Amino acid sequence: MATHDDILARLLTEAGILTDSALRSARREQRRSQGSLADALVRSGVVSEEQIARQLAEHLGLSFLSPPLNPEPEALKRIDPALARTRGVLPLGIDGRFLRVALADPLNSGLIEDLAFQSGCHVEAVVAPSSAVRRKIRECYRDDPATIDNGIDRMRAAKGPGKPGKPGTLEAEAAAAPIVQIVDRVIAKAIRDRASDIHIEALPDGSRVRMRVDGRLVRAGELPANAHAAAISRVKIMAGLDISVRRRPQDGGFTVRREKRQLTVRVSTLPTQDGEKAVLRLLDPGDAPPDLSSLGLSPRDLGRVRQILERRQGVLIAAGPTGSGKTTTLSGAVAELLASEINIVTLEDPVEYRFPGVAQVQIDRRAGVDFPSGLRAILRQDPDVILVGEIRDRETAEIAMSAAVTGHLVLSTIHTVDAPSAVVRLIEMGVPPFLVAGGLAGVVAQRLVRRLCSRCWGRGGNDCRSCKDGYRGRSGVFEVLLVDDEIRTAISAGAPIAKVRTLGRRNGMGSMARDALRQVAQGVTSPHEAGDVIALSRGSAARCGHCKAELPPDAAGCPMCGRARINLCACGETLDKGWRFCPNCLRGATPMN
């Protein structure tokens, strides 16, 4: 039996809109993203949503409606909001017993019958672009976690703010419709706003919900104090945790499906002074970058990273603080390596992105699978490329370096402020310097900056449908250290971080500060966002004592103000302050400015 995707592929091919090669490419992208064929086609730019909608309308004998879509309030009342959201239905108008609706997915079988049964009307359907329909549904059936329905109000009236009840009582409250609905609304809003994390926090006089969007934590609503414990219990039940345990941290997870996307939700609970706190991390396994070029790397840095990947030997480390996009960078590297006929194995905690044809291993400490033991097992699987989620200890680092020395390409992450610091961090872990020098191929240090919205270019406001504050999405800011023979020699000799940084700059390593300014010049981000990166990187490079400009490696003076940094004789000898003559050639010393 033909699927929706098969029907769409046939319609677009017969209409001459889609070639066989473009279809094969879209099918590969669909398998990678685990989404629909229509999404893959639109994302790759092969066809537009309007072309898809027009072809479906013609095939089904329906009318096509172009945006803007203007529904009547009376029509909206005829369809249950949950049905409208889940089935992609927008009521447009009502005339007596006839209800006119716009459909995001007109191939959805049985939909017209369901609408007719619920509304009690004869349904006239039109086809409109999917994103326009769903966007207008979100606007018209707006749900906000700050809005607590009557059931929650009754809970507040019946129970004053107090301590959590007994487990049996909490289980009943967690299963009650108001609590189930409010937790679902919070998750739905987080997905809609592209949040990476949800924080449900107890306060002395209530409970608040915050969400991390593009790296910024924003307030998203409040819960009454007596609903907090029930909401936390609801989250625990969904994540498979013990609701009777409230005095120790717990970790779990579940999956949720919204608008044809299946997301993994990782849950962590923590006891605090005012009650338990829950943090839900939303991971979209199908949102992996298609390649490294989509991350924001400059052409020069992109070439340096690809040079490491082409060698297929050594350790490539992505360095940065938590939430700086390290896993995304390594996933982009894996996506590029997938084109080759090689054996790629990953060891992650958790598995964030899915890759077809890649053996991905989840850390499970209760089953005895941690990073060292898992990495040893992977080395017996004849791998060409190994991705290790994080280098956390000496044992993992030594195994990774040893694997690199024996001919494997190893990708991993580490928490350091810049690229040269990663070298020092490995040695501080206890890895012998000769092993670091022999195994390390390069380090990609990074931060994330918010991208200016492509529709309003940073103006934000209510007129822009894509953003709220002028930003949408994030871009990486990078510095790439390529380990050459000179740097290997310095590492083996135990050179300090300043020496490694100087040698790195000499062989072409830029700085994150400069890369941030590049993205400002290209209109990717704003000066304010770049300023945050520049402020964080001020301590990583030598600066002029007069004008504070960054100095190039081994600079004798400042290229911005001309002030001398060190006093050099004409013969090249460095002169100490106070010397009257050069000890090498006995020329008279010129005082520094």
Side-chain angles (χ1 to χ4, degrees), residues 166-224:
K166 296 178 180 180
T169 305
L170 279 178
E171 189 170 3
E173 290 180 356
I179 291 296
V180 171
Q181 186 179 47
I182 200 63
V183 171
D184 286 349
R185 284 182 175 179
V186 168
I187 295 173
K189 178 175 173 59
I191 295 172
R192 187 170 65 244
D193 291 349
R194 302 171 294 105
S196 60
D197 300 88
I198 304 169
H199 295 241
I200 304 176
E201 305 166 293
L203 302 174
D205 56 350
S207 176
R208 70 179 175 185
V209 178
R210 295 192 292 173
M211 297 180 184
R212 192 173 296 279
V213 180
D214 292 337
R216 305 298 172 98
L217 202 58
V218 295
R219 196 170 186 126
E222 297 181 353
L223 302 175

Side-chain angles (χ1 to χ4, degrees), residues 327-478:
T327 301
T328 302
T329 296
L330 296 188
S331 297
V334 170
E336 295 207 352
L337 292 167
L338 281 174
S340 306
E341 291 298 325
I342 56 177
N343 181 22
I344 305 175
V345 187
T346 74
L347 182 64
E348 304 168 75
D349 184 23
V351 174
E352 293 192 20
Y353 300 119
R354 304 282 185 179
F355 295 99
V358 174
Q360 295 182 262
V361 181
Q362 170 80 45
I363 291 294
D364 187 350
R365 292 176 179 82
R366 287 178 292 186
V369 182
D370 56 12
F371 280 111
S373 64
L375 186 50
R376 287 194 190 92
I378 288 173
L379 287 171
R380 295 191 289 270
Q381 294 286 310
D382 185 31
D384 297 295
V385 178
I386 305 169
L387 187 151
V388 183
E390 183 181 348
I391 293 178
R392 298 179 179 177
D393 52 49
R394 178 191 58 78
E395 190 175 8
T396 305
E398 284 190 352
I399 298 171
M401 293 296 163
S402 299
V405 170
T406 56
H408 300 86
L409 174 62
V410 181
L411 312 176
S412 192
T413 69
I414 199 168
H415 291 92
T416 60
V417 296
D418 62 4
S421 299
V423 177
V424 177
R425 179 78 182 101
L426 290 168
I427 295 173
E428 288 176 346
M429 283 182 178
V431 183
F434 75 87
L435 194 55
V436 176
L440 189 62
V443 182
V444 181
Q446 61 188 89
R447 295 287 191 281
L448 292 177
V449 293
R450 292 186 294 172
R451 284 180 175 272
L452 290 173
C453 174
S454 59
R455 286 181 177 268
C456 67
W457 295 105
R459 291 189 297 272
N462 297 325
D463 294 335
C464 184
R465 295 180 178 180
S466 297
C467 73
K468 294 181 179 179
D469 56 359
Y471 297 94
R472 182 179 175 84
R474 291 190 286 178
S475 176
V477 173
F478 302 89

Side-chain angles (χ1 to χ4, degrees), residues 69 71 90 131-141:
L69 307 177
L90 178 67
S131 64
V133 174
R134 296 193 181 279
R135 181 167 56 245
K136 184 59 72 170
I137 289 171
R138 291 195 295 268
E139 291 177 8
C140 295
Y141 295 109

